[in-house]
Amino acid sequence: MTIMKHFLRFADLDKNELNYIFNLTKEVKTAFKNLKKRETLQDRHLVMIFEKSSTRTRLAFELGMNQLGGSAVYLNTKDSQLGRGEPILDSARVISRMCDLVMIRTFEQEMIETFAKHSSVPIINGLTNQHHPCQVLADVFTFIEKKGSIQGATVAWIGDANNMCNSWIEAANVLGFNLNISSPPDYAPDILSTSENVKFFSVPQEAVEKADLVTTDVWASMGFEEESKSREQAFKDWQVDESLMALTSKDSLFMHCLPAHRGEEVSAEVIDGIQSVVWDEAENRLHVQKALMEFLLLGALD
Ligand code: CP
Ligand code: NVA
């Protein structure tokens, strides 16, 4: 009997489980590319709760579940009782009695933790203000796909110490690669980590030195739009452009979770240039999330 696991943050999975998921993703992707049916989740049903907008996350979960032979139901705050004050613990009890798996995109991490506590099925974090573990799962898989391994590699995070940055910190700690972070003074991570492999740099030029991957994200995440103006000022020296990429290791990659703002956090030359793997990264959301759902519902199969 499989023990129920949630994926609320990257560190909820250990290195063995992550490696299992990365290997499974390879199988899932190969089957998809060869137009081979892989209906491992027949009669399994996913509920997706969105309290923020989404293109990639919704498509990857909804199409992914359908491709695996199951089904997915979309709920948002506006059209469900969640937006009318039904307590989270009541919603969790009711929703989880009708399905096999729940994915939630919301504001506070606390909401999904409360939901998980009262749920009888696994919960997946589809993005909160604090974490975006599914995206970093796809990013690490993309890196492995391109470079063979992330072990010993150096990743540079340039910009806001936001949900993506927090998930990268957890990934570096669990998987043991080096992570260099550079953010403007008021937007740096509160607590870095106790490990030696995660370092903070006050200027982006130092953080990207010899990096194998440079990654960034919007200056104002969802829920922080009203700070856009002040953030534009604060982040203007943290744009990933060609001069920054020139300081990285030979054959380094560029990633961005998307949506991106060309001319703000990244220049058009970089995101549309040869080092950019953003389209593979986006596609891999589909494959990695299918593997994640299989793992959470079926466990690690031989
Ligand atoms: N990267 C990402 O999560 O995209 P969406 O907001 O479109 O889901
Ligand atoms: N940090 C961004 C990621 C979007 C996928 C946000 O939270 O809006």
Side-chain angles (χ1 to χ4, degrees), residues 53-58 105 132 135 222 257-259 285:
S53 308
S54 169
T55 299
R56 282 145 285 266
T57 305
R58 178 175 176 184
R105 168 169 286 197
H132 196 4
Q135 181 68 55
M222 290 182 278
C257 65
L258 306 175
R285 293 293 302 278

Side-chain angles (χ1 to χ4, degrees), residues 127 132 162-163 217-218 221-222 257-258:
L127 181 146
H132 196 4
N162 60 10
N163 42 13
D217 190 8
V218 290
S221 286
M222 290 182 278
C257 65
L258 306 175

Side-chain angles (χ1 to χ4, degrees), residues 111-249:
M111 184 274 192
I112 62 164
E113 277 168 13
T114 306
F115 201 105
K117 219 174 269 163
H118 299 279
S119 168
S120 52
V121 302
I123 306 300
I124 299 173
N125 181 347
L127 181 146
T128 59
N129 287 353
Q130 292 77 22
H131 297 276
H132 196 4
C134 292
Q135 181 68 55
V136 175
L137 210 53
D139 295 359
V140 174
F141 175 77
T142 307
F143 188 91
I144 295 169
E145 202 176 35
K146 303 281 174 196
K147 300 286 184 189
S149 165
I150 200 160
Q151 217 66 49
T154 299
V155 176
W157 174 267
I158 305 300
D160 194 15
N162 60 10
N163 42 13
M164 282 294 299
C165 179
N166 290 335
S167 290
W168 271 112
I169 293 173
E170 294 199 349
N173 287 335
V174 178
L175 293 169
F177 56 86
N178 303 310
L179 178 66
N180 295 346
I181 301 172
S182 180
S183 322
D186 294 340
Y187 301 92
D190 295 336
I191 307 160
L192 254 185
S193 88
T194 47
S195 57
E196 291 232 316
N197 55 324
V198 182
K199 296 195 177 78
F200 184 78
F201 296 83
S202 50
V203 291
Q205 287 75 10
E206 285 176 17
V208 300
E209 208 177 307
K210 300 205 177 76
D212 302 294
L213 165 65
V214 177
T215 183
T216 186
D217 190 8
V218 290
W219 291 341
S221 286
M222 290 182 278
F224 297 85
E225 290 86 353
E226 66 211 32
E227 297 176 17
S228 292
K229 273 273 152 280
S230 54
R231 283 173 175 257
E232 262 172 41
Q233 265 309 307
F235 283 86
K236 65 179 175 11
D237 295 330
W238 272 263
Q239 183 186 88
V240 179
D241 59 13
E242 284 175 310
S243 66
L244 208 58
M245 290 303 289
L247 304 171
T248 62
S249 82

Side-chain angles (χ1 to χ4, degrees), residues 7 21 24 43 69 79 96 112 138 160 175 204 216 237 250-252:
F7 189 48
I21 289 170
L24 190 59
D43 300 321
D79 303 328
S96 66
I112 62 164
D160 194 15
L175 293 169
T216 186
D237 295 330
K250 191 173 167 284
D251 302 326
S252 63

Side-chain angles (χ1 to χ4, degrees), residues 82-99:
L82 283 159
R84 297 185 60 251
E86 182 163 8
I88 291 159
L89 66 170
D90 291 0
S91 302
R93 288 176 180 130
V94 172
I95 292 169
S96 66
R97 281 192 181 211
M98 296 195 197
C99 66

